[in-house]
Amino acid sequence: MINYNRLIVLTLFFSVVIVGILGVVRYNDFNYLGSVPASNAHFTLSIILKRALNLNTYYGASGVDLARINGGDYLPVYAPGYSFAAALPYGLLQIFNHFWVRFFNPLSESISLFLESTALALPSILSTALISVLIYKLLLHFKVSKTIAVITAWSFPFATFLLGYTSTTYNGLLAASLLLLAFYWLVVPEKYNLRIPLLVGLLFGMIANTEYVVALCFIPSLVYFYIKTRDKYKTGIVVAGFMAGMLALGLYNNALFGKPWTFGEQFTGTAFRTGADLTSITFSGNLWQSLYGNLLSPAKGLIFQAPLSLLAVPGLIYLFKRRRSSAVLVISYIAIVALVYAFWHDWGGGWTTGPRFYTAIVAFLIIAAGYFFSEIKRKTLVAPGFFGLILFGVLAGATTLLFGPRDKFSASYDVSRLRVIQRLEHLFPNPVSVSSLAPYIPKTFGVSLSAYLVLLTTLILGSLIILIVLSRRNVVSTYEK
């Protein structure tokens, strides 16, 4: 008997992977890949090629993502998790290349650059695919129909600004997948064996090594786990798993910065030039400006860059009524990430499109939106509104993928400059045509821009059609029994 549920999961997963790899192809020199952020990619290269925990060889191309402390080594300012995750596929690629060159002719420059860029981007690509699958499974757990679950899960990678981030080395997607996986193991099991609390703890330990702010979500998760189990021993296992990750982070920080609890993020901006410790100014952001910019401004705001998140608020209200403890946990995650980053001096995430510091919570907003639609789908105009937001999201995602996640047109912490009309004028100063887009996506492997767009559209829309067809098969999943 055909397992349609498994086919849905595989289709969802591999459609994201294929489109993510296709995103790597969009530039023929592949140099754009590492620019968000640059130091993650270069640190991976340093680990594998130089066997060194510094950026001395690559500092000239790493921009503001590194610091030189007291005239010593050039060091990355980000948490090291992404770079070490990418080290595995990148190291395997180097081994493959060694034997290929030994037994066959060397690979062409284009193929070599493509494989290298894909290996570096693989953690982001696989993380996005995993998030999509987890959204689908969680919505089934929340008793949402298969069809709504697959459409909602599909919308995360293909109807948000994060589509353009899948082929980058940005650590946010990896942290987001770890957080959602931890959430999955917290809310889905009715009973916890000893492996689950250890897994949850280790996942948060890995998050601490990937994105520091997101690691704060461990606090409400630990409270949730203890209230649900009332088991001090298993709660202690969760803490032990988390502390293992913190120990690894402390050893890393001590090796690079001289103290276990001195972090690379403390050495940003002018630290590159002066070696100054900028801890005192890092949390100097304006709360209301940050929230407005990350929620409502066209270049950064979720309302434009992930339109389906507009339904998250009523979705969380419905989820709170039906599944109070899960809703409270989700709300706590959203509040922690949004508020902590609101006070960060770089709250806008630099010259990038979309609120990239909100990456870890976008999946939860999409889940809430899907839950809301499931609850009131039979009301007038609800379905057209839901699919209309997805359509606008597809446009946002495609724009970010085609032009790259680094905002080339207008990015500023002065959110008053990010008006809709001004944004559109900067983005499309002349009538848009395939030829006018050509400078952004040159020919790669002999593939023209037109062929690229046709292939991209076919894969994205085709995957949605296949998912809807599979979801409507009369098969009851384990979550719906």
Side-chain angles (χ1 to χ4, degrees):
M1 182 177 179
I2 298 176
N3 189 328
Y4 289 103
N5 207 48
R6 181 174 297 176
L7 284 177
I8 289 172
V9 169
L10 291 174
T11 301
L12 190 58
F13 186 89
F14 284 107
S15 64
V16 177
V17 171
I18 293 170
V19 172
I21 294 174
L22 187 61
V24 176
V25 179
R26 71 180 181 273
Y27 288 94
N28 63 352
D29 59 3
F30 306 106
N31 290 330
Y32 195 81
L33 168 97
S35 63
V36 184
S39 65
N40 280 347
H42 296 143
F43 193 41
T44 298
L45 268 61
S46 184
I47 292 170
I48 298 299
L49 301 180
K50 303 298 179 181
R51 297 172 181 81
L53 296 178
N54 60 56
L55 291 169
N56 293 344
T57 304
Y58 307 99
Y59 74 90
S62 294
V64 297
D65 301 332
L66 77 166
R68 190 181 189 188
I69 303 170
N70 298 323
D73 293 329
Y74 293 94
L75 303 174
V77 299
Y78 291 106
Y82 188 96
S83 296
F84 281 103
L88 177 59
Y90 190 74
L92 292 174
L93 175 62
Q94 295 303 316
I95 295 172
F96 163 79
N97 184 66
H98 171 79
F99 286 102
W100 185 272
V101 171
R102 184 173 180 178
F103 294 105
F104 305 99
N105 293 326
L107 297 168
S108 68
E109 183 179 7
S110 293
I111 295 294
S112 296
L113 288 171
F114 168 70
L115 291 177
E116 183 177 56
S117 297
T118 301
L120 290 170
L122 203 57
S124 287
I125 295 171
L126 295 180
S127 294
T128 308
L130 176 60
I131 291 170
S132 302
V133 171
L134 289 173
I135 290 174
Y136 170 69
K137 287 182 170 291
L138 281 165
L139 285 172
L140 290 185
H141 174 70
F142 292 151
K143 306 302 181 184
V144 172
S145 71
K146 271 189 177 184
T147 302
I148 295 177
V150 296
I151 293 172
T152 305
W154 175 92
S155 71
F156 172 80
F158 299 126
T160 73
F161 68 100
L162 291 173
L163 180 61
Y165 285 77
T166 54
S167 56
T168 71
T169 58
Y170 177 48
N171 51 299
L173 284 167
L174 178 58
S177 68
L178 296 173
L179 180 63
L180 191 62
L181 186 58
F183 176 81
Y184 177 88
W185 286 113
L186 282 170
V187 303
V188 170
E190 294 182 2
K191 295 182 180 179
Y192 300 117
N193 56 36
L194 293 179
R195 289 177 295 180
I196 293 178
L198 179 61
L199 174 63
V200 170
L202 289 173
L203 285 169
F204 275 103
M206 294 169 67
I207 292 172
N209 284 270
T210 305
E211 189 172 359
Y212 302 130
V213 172
V214 179
L216 295 174
C217 295
F218 173 72
I219 298 171
S221 300
L222 184 66
V223 174
Y224 174 93
F225 183 88
Y226 179 72
I227 292 175
K228 187 174 180 179
T229 64
R230 300 293 181 179
D231 189 322
K232 294 181 180 180
Y233 176 69
K234 290 182 179 179
T235 304
I237 294 177
V238 177
V239 174
F242 178 69
M243 293 308 297
M246 294 299 293
L247 175 62
L249 180 60
L251 293 173
Y252 168 84
N253 288 336
N254 189 68
L256 268 67
F257 308 110
K259 295 180 181 179
W261 308 122
T262 296
F263 298 86
E265 290 280 10
Q266 296 172 220
F267 301 95
T268 57
T270 57
F272 176 77
R273 297 186 295 273
T274 67
D277 186 339
L278 303 182
T279 307
S280 60
I281 68 166
T282 52
F283 286 96
S284 57
N286 181 288
L287 172 64
W288 300 114
Q289 185 184 51
S290 167
L291 292 178
Y292 171 78
N294 283 324
L295 296 174
L296 301 175
S297 67
K300 296 288 183 183
L302 283 171
I303 189 174
F304 290 96
Q305 302 299 334
L308 199 58
S309 60
L310 274 171
L311 303 180
V313 173
L316 288 171
I317 293 174
Y318 274 91
L319 190 63
F320 184 81
K321 292 178 179 179
R322 308 287 191 271
R323 299 174 179 272
R324 182 163 300 182
S325 59
S326 297
V328 170
L329 191 56
V330 169
I331 292 169
S332 69
Y333 290 167
I334 295 171
I336 287 172
V337 172
L339 293 178
V340 172
Y341 272 125
F343 292 103
W344 182 248
H345 73 284
D346 188 28
W347 59 263
W351 289 69
T352 53
T353 299
R356 69 182 177 100
F357 287 155
Y358 281 20
T359 298
I361 59 176
V362 171
F364 296 100
L365 299 174
I366 297 298
I367 289 172
Y371 191 82
F372 172 72
F373 179 57
S374 176
E375 289 290 309
I376 64 168
K377 58 182 179 293
R378 290 183 173 85
K379 293 188 177 181
T380 305
L381 299 180
V382 169
F386 182 78
F387 289 106
L389 290 174
I390 290 179
L391 176 60
F392 282 113
V394 170
L395 295 175
T399 300
T400 309
L401 179 65
L402 293 175
F403 291 96
R406 186 167 297 281
D407 184 10
K408 299 175 182 296
F409 306 99
S410 62
S412 171
Y413 297 116
D414 178 8
V415 293
S416 64
R417 292 179 55 197
L418 303 179
R419 299 185 183 95
V420 179
I421 295 177
Q422 183 184 29
R423 169 69 174 171
L424 293 175
E425 288 174 348
H426 279 285
L427 190 58
F428 302 123
N430 300 305
V432 180
S433 65
V434 170
S435 60
S436 69
L437 294 177
Y440 297 100
I441 309 177
K443 290 184 178 180
T444 301
F445 306 135
V447 177
S448 67
L449 175 61
S450 299
Y452 179 92
L453 293 176
V454 169
L455 179 60
L456 183 68
T457 303
T458 302
L459 286 171
I460 291 177
L461 296 182
S463 64
L464 178 60
I465 294 171
I466 293 172
L467 286 167
I468 292 175
V469 171
L470 291 174
S471 70
R472 298 183 70 82
R473 297 293 180 179
N474 189 25
V475 178
V476 179
S477 75
T478 55
Y479 295 101
E480 295 173 321
K481 290 179 180 179

